[in-house]
């Protein structure tokens, strides 16, 4: 079985978010980039499956310019066998899915994180399946291979569901897919240097989105302390200032 | 001139930082309080590949450069001095001399298990009466037929008494020539009759690392346990300490970095007189000085590592880096406690542990005074 794990390159989750160009673009100056946490868990599960047998190849793919290569190298250090970077700046989910579709045809299982932690679009996995005209399963929280058969677990209301799926298939994975992201060992880091990172030219894709404006959430107001024996003042503040009573 | 780290070195820094934050940070305070050595963390550090980082792959190591290893120690020390001590001592003092002076047979026998985290190794140099004056050692090694017979004791030896400590490289007096002692280095495995290892408890610092007293009472080991040649002891010691100084420098740098980050975060959060205390110039300038010292320490230490990796002389720079990084650790940790105010004196705040842990750094592997002596000799005084 050949697995393709989609890797989004996102700002570190502790990044202080700023915008530029009159609030129409993200200001990436000084930003630390990481593998999207959901994709990192997907990759971890893929590596676990390979270790238990039944997986012959794990490829990671990303749509982005050369600045995303350290993220792909980390994915190789964690255990992917090779990497593909489609050399174009990702503009929106449709473009990313279109680009990925051009390299995703030869895989049995395609794993996509449920969302990327930057734009939270939750769209690429489903779009990719449509473009490839193959099935997709959303909210997958477990993947196993039993006797060569691919089994997905899904959380449903009040329980869980086990699906037997045919390949090729896109699994849109979420919490539970792996316990915690795997930290690459020193040996993996050294081996990653020698693994293939293929850069491919983009296909033409329609630009379907334009950003009108970004806004930061309102600043948190200062915390007001109320003496423990002054419930009256607390009620007054909740009523008159916070207006929640 | 190029100050960029290689992509691998950057990834090693990120990886060890992630490991230290995820695996070490949550348990560091408890291990410190209980004065408990963690076999589990040691095993995980081994699995990550941090033991034997500079060892060639054929002996089970990673074959990495000095700077990569130093970055790993720095990142561990940024979170916890005890784990950084286990890591640094094992690599520099345990593995180092075996790699640099062992025969092919000795290397194949010992190094693979020492690279996995399932076994640790120690370097027995300091004695109750021989600290800075290492030539005052009284432990003796006498060749009797096909065996070395060792008598004496060692003190303050890291990684020497835990269950997974497999043995020690012992510095001993093997004779005298023209009134000068001849030093020879011998390998002693843990279960050798007459070799006793006693853990030293209740340290002020590095409380979750293993420190031991060693006693040798007619300890007999095969002649083949000689490391290097008879009389090589002083050379092996000086060479090992040069590398060890870089490790201690990395521990000082990492500790200072961690203390600085804690102080900066606290100063931006703590409100007094209606604003964060970082907005008061006296604290802002203090933090600026701390950042400056950390930056200088890093540049000095990395340069010494670069010299070593380029196979150029680095004794002077190693002594400078050890001295400066350890003193910066003291200064930064001290100011970080000051910024934390009363909370900095409480064990609930990690800075309290950092303040204790830094104190060894100006003493271990050559005191600050000895470093100044080394530097002064190397600049021609």
């Amino acid at each position: 079985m050949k697995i393709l794990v989609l890797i989004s390159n996102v700002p570190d989750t502790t990044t202080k978010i700023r915008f530029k160009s009159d609030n129409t673009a993200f200001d990436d100056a000084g930003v630390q980039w990481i593998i999207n946490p959901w994709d990192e868990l997907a990759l971890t599960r893929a590596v676990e499956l390979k270790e238990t047998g039944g997986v012959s190849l794990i490829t990671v793919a990303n749509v982005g310019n050369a600045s995303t290569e350290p993220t792909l190298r980390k994915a190789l250090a964690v255990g992917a066998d090779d990497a593909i970077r489609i050399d174009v700046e990702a503009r929106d989910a449709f473009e990313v899915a279109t680009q990925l579709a051009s390299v995703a045809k030869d895989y049995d299982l395609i794993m996509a994180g449920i969302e990327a932690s930057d734009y939270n679009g939750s769209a690429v996995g489903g779009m990719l399946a449509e473009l490839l005209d193959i099935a997709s399963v959303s909210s997958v929280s477990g993947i196993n291979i039993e006797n060569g058969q691919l089994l997905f677990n899904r959380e449903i209301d009040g329980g869980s569901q086990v699906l037997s799926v045919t390949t090729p298939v896109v699994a849109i994975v979420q919490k539970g897919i792996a316990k915690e992201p795997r930290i690459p060992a020193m040996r993996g880091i050294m081996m990653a240097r020698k693994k293939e990172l293929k850069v491919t030219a983009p296909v033409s894709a329609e630009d379907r989105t334009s950003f009108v404006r970004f806004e930061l959430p309102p600043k948190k107001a200062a915390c007001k302390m109320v003496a423990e024996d002054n419930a009256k003042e607390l009620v007054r503040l909740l009523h008159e200032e916070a207006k929640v009573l | 001139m190029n100050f960029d780290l290689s992509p691998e070195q950057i990834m090693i820094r990120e990886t060890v930082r992630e490991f230290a934050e995820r695996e070490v940070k949550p348990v560091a305070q408890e291990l410190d309080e209980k004065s408990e050595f963690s076999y589990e963390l040691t095993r995980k550090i081994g699995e990550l590949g941090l033991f034997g980082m500079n060892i060639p792959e054929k002996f089970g190591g990673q074959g990495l450069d000095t700077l990569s290893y130093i970055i790993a120690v720095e990142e561990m020390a940024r979170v916890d001095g005890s784990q950084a001590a286990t890591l640094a001592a094992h690599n520099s003092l345990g593995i180092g001399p075996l790699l640099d002076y062992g025969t092919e047979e000795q290397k194949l026998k010992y190094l693979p298990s020492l690279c996995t985290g399932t076994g640790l190794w120690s370097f027995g140099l300091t004695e109750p009466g021989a600290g800075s004056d290492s030539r005052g050692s009284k432990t003796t090694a006498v060749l009797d037929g096909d065996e070395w017979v060792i008598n004496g004791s060692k003190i303050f030896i890291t990684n020497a008494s835990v269950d997974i400590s497999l043995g020690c490289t012992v510095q001993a007096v093997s004779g005298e020539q023209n009134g000068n002692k001849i030093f020879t280095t011998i390998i002693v495995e843990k279960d050798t009759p007459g070799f006793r290892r006693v853990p030293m408890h209740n340290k002020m610092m590095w409380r979750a690392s293993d420190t031991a007293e060693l006693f040798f009472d007619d300890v007999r080991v095969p002649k083949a346990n000689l490391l290097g040649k008879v009389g090589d002891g002083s050379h092996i010691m000086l060479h090992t300490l040069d590398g060890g100084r870089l490790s201690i420098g990395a521990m000082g740098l990492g500790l200072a970095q961690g203390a600085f980050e804690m102080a900066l975060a606290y100063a931006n959060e703590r409100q007094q007189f209606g604003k964060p205390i970082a907005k008061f110039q006296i604290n802002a300038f203090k933090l600026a000085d701390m950042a400056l010292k950390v930056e200088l320490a890093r540049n000095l230490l990395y340069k010494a590592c670069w010299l070593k990796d380029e196979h150029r002389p680095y004794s002077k720079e190693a002594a400078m880096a050890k001295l400066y990084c350890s003193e910066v650790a003291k200064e930064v940790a001290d100011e970080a406690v000051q910024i934390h105010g009363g909370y900095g004196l409480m064990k609930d705040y990690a800075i309290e542990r950092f303040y204790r842990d830094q104190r060894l750094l100006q003493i271990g592997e050559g005191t600050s005074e000895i470093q100044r002596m080394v530097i002064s000799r190397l600049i021609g005084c």
Side-chain angles (χ1 to χ4, degrees):
Chain A
M1 182 173 298
K2 295 198 312 196
I3 300 179
L4 177 69
V5 182
L6 311 182
I7 298 286
S8 192
N9 180 53
V10 298
D12 186 278
T13 48
T14 58
T15 304
K16 210 168 192 176
I17 303 296
R18 291 183 308 265
F19 299 111
K20 61 181 184 183
S21 312
D22 206 14
N23 285 339
T24 57
F26 173 59
D27 181 2
D28 60 5
V31 168
Q32 189 82 8
W33 298 90
I34 59 168
I35 302 179
N36 173 42
W38 294 116
D39 303 343
E40 202 176 10
L41 284 174
L43 174 61
T44 300
R45 185 60 192 149
V47 173
E48 288 168 358
L49 289 171
K50 192 175 180 206
E51 284 168 354
T52 51
V55 174
S56 58
L57 177 77
I58 301 171
T59 300
V60 286
N62 164 261
V63 178
N65 58 30
S67 69
T68 69
E69 288 195 2
T71 295
L72 284 174
R73 285 279 169 215
K74 183 177 175 190
L76 292 170
V78 168
D81 298 297
D82 57 14
I84 302 169
R85 178 172 70 79
I86 303 162
D87 190 20
V88 62
E89 197 128 356
R91 288 167 302 183
D92 62 22
F94 182 72
E95 192 200 8
V96 171
T98 306
Q99 300 299 346
L100 289 170
S102 70
V103 299
K105 291 186 181 71
D106 294 332
Y107 296 89
D108 305 296
L109 169 63
I110 300 171
M111 294 170 80
I114 194 161
E115 62 184 10
S117 64
D118 46 6
Y119 295 104
N120 301 102
S122 307
V124 171
M127 284 182 178
L128 177 62
E130 283 301 307
L131 290 168
L132 293 171
D133 197 19
I134 61 175
S136 72
V137 180
S138 63
S139 306
V140 175
S141 57
I143 298 181
N144 290 290
I145 304 170
E146 283 177 22
N147 304 323
Q149 177 62 49
L150 202 50
L151 299 175
F152 289 175
N153 285 60
R154 292 183 76 244
E155 300 296 319
I156 55 168
D157 197 14
S160 67
Q161 189 180 42
V162 180
L163 304 171
S164 171
V165 293
T166 53
T167 58
V169 63
V170 175
I172 300 163
V173 304
Q174 60 151 354
K175 194 176 162 192
I177 189 70
K179 212 166 147 199
E180 54 184 10
R182 182 171 293 208
I183 297 176
M186 296 301 114
R187 184 66 49 88
I189 292 174
M190 297 312 287
M191 279 164 61
R193 229 178 5 180
K194 297 169 196 153
K195 290 178 178 173
E196 188 188 15
L197 195 164
K198 197 164 81 183
V199 180
T200 64
V203 294
S204 70
E206 194 185 335
D207 199 354
R208 294 191 172 187
T209 311
S210 69
F211 292 113
V212 179
R213 173 176 79 245
F214 291 105
E215 287 174 5
L216 290 171
K219 275 194 176 160
K220 266 203 259 176
C223 180
K224 274 191 184 165
M225 303 298 284
V226 180
E228 56 184 314
D229 54 356
N230 198 355
K232 210 170 167 183
E233 174 65 3
L234 177 65
V235 172
R236 189 190 70 76
L237 287 170
L238 290 172
H239 181 63
E240 291 176 13
E241 288 194 12
K243 297 189 193 324
V244 292
L245 289 180
Chain B
M1 188 177 269
N2 183 1
F3 284 101
D4 282 332
L5 297 178
S6 71
E8 287 76 29
Q9 288 162 340
I10 292 170
M11 210 191 294
I12 287 168
R13 181 189 295 289
E14 288 170 1
T15 298
V16 181
R17 179 168 295 202
E18 198 177 341
F19 174 84
E21 293 276 347
R22 194 202 289 180
E23 303 285 346
V24 180
K25 199 175 197 171
V27 295
Q29 187 197 345
E30 190 185 343
L31 292 172
D32 174 77
E33 272 192 56
K34 290 183 176 168
S35 192
E36 183 181 316
F37 178 89
S38 171
Y39 290 95
E40 192 188 345
L41 279 182
T42 306
R43 180 181 54 77
K44 286 181 177 173
I45 291 169
E47 283 171 1
L48 195 60
L50 301 187
F51 293 133
M53 283 179 79
N54 302 139
I55 305 278
E57 286 182 37
K58 74 167 180 172
F59 299 121
Q62 316 299 337
L64 287 160
D65 58 322
T66 307
L67 184 53
S68 294
Y69 157 63
I70 285 303
I71 288 170
V73 176
E74 175 193 343
E75 286 301 325
M76 197 65 83
R78 177 182 160 272
V79 167
D80 183 37
S82 290
Q83 302 313 319
T86 303
L87 171 64
H90 182 54
N91 274 302
S92 297
L93 305 179
I95 289 174
L98 294 174
L99 175 71
D100 292 339
Y101 297 97
T103 60
E104 187 78 0
E105 205 180 340
Q106 287 169 335
K107 289 184 208 179
L108 286 169
K109 181 176 179 189
Y110 297 112
L111 291 178
S113 61
L114 299 181
C115 291
T116 61
T118 53
L120 293 174
W121 199 268
S122 61
F123 187 62
L125 173 64
T126 302
E127 295 187 8
S132 290
D133 177 16
S134 62
R135 296 197 69 82
S137 292
K138 291 196 175 101
T139 299
T140 56
V142 177
L143 197 56
D144 179 23
D146 280 342
E147 291 180 328
W148 288 99
V149 184
I150 304 168
N151 280 288
S153 68
K154 299 285 175 184
I155 196 166
F156 306 132
I157 310 302
T158 306
N159 290 340
S161 68
V162 284
D163 294 348
I164 55 172
S165 180
L166 303 180
C168 181
T169 305
V170 181
Q171 183 81 333
V173 181
S174 61
E176 223 180 85
Q177 198 170 29
N178 306 328
N180 290 325
K181 287 175 181 169
I182 297 171
F183 287 94
T184 294
T185 308
I186 316 269
I187 293 169
V188 179
E189 293 180 14
K190 67 169 182 171
D191 293 324
T192 313
F195 179 30
R196 206 155 49 87
R197 306 169 299 152
V198 180
M200 298 174 77
H201 292 300
N202 228 356
K203 300 192 295 264
M204 177 177 88
M205 37 21 79
W206 295 9
R207 289 170 56 83
S209 77
D210 174 39
T211 309
E213 263 187 285
L214 307 179
F215 299 95
F216 304 87
D217 189 11
D218 280 333
V219 173
R220 287 180 169 270
V221 298
K223 196 175 167 184
N225 281 24
L226 173 71
L227 188 69
K229 295 195 293 285
V230 172
D232 270 357
S234 293
H235 176 72
I236 291 175
M237 174 194 75
L238 290 173
H239 179 84
T240 302
L241 290 183
D242 270 350
R245 279 170 190 152
L246 299 177
S247 300
I248 295 280
M251 293 189 65
L253 171 61
L255 189 147
Q257 176 71 39
F260 163 70
E261 286 175 27
M262 276 183 245
L264 181 63
Y266 186 82
N268 276 319
E269 189 186 289
R270 169 76 169 168
Q271 303 256 343
Q272 290 287 275
F273 304 105
K275 55 182 176 179
I277 61 170
K279 297 293 176 202
F280 294 106
Q281 194 183 57
I282 194 158
N283 290 328
F285 281 15
K286 206 172 265 188
L287 286 158
D289 283 343
M290 290 156 85
L292 170 68
K293 287 173 183 175
V294 170
E295 188 67 19
L296 284 172
R298 183 170 289 115
N299 284 332
L300 183 55
L301 177 64
Y302 286 13
K303 185 189 170 192
C305 295
W306 177 81
L307 287 169
K308 183 170 188 240
D309 283 332
E310 292 286 311
H311 307 290
R312 301 189 198 182
Y314 72 101
S315 296
K316 183 182 74 185
E317 288 75 9
M320 285 177 166
K322 193 273 181 188
L323 173 63
Y324 190 69
C325 292
S326 62
E327 299 212 335
V328 160
K330 175 161 73 174
E331 291 160 17
V332 171
D334 187 55
E335 290 292 28
V337 169
Q338 191 68 20
I339 284 171
H340 278 76
Y343 295 103
L345 305 174
M346 305 303 292
K347 285 194 183 292
D348 291 344
Y349 283 75
I351 192 62
E352 182 269 348
R353 174 164 48 86
F354 276 55
Y355 182 73
R356 286 184 282 110
D357 280 347
Q358 57 80 20
R359 199 59 189 86
L360 179 136
L361 302 171
Q362 304 101 46
I363 296 173
E365 294 201 42
T367 60
S368 290
E369 292 76 9
I370 289 288
Q371 303 307 327
R372 287 190 165 86
M373 200 174 82
V374 170
I375 296 165
S376 63
R377 281 181 186 161
L378 289 168
I379 59 173
C381 294

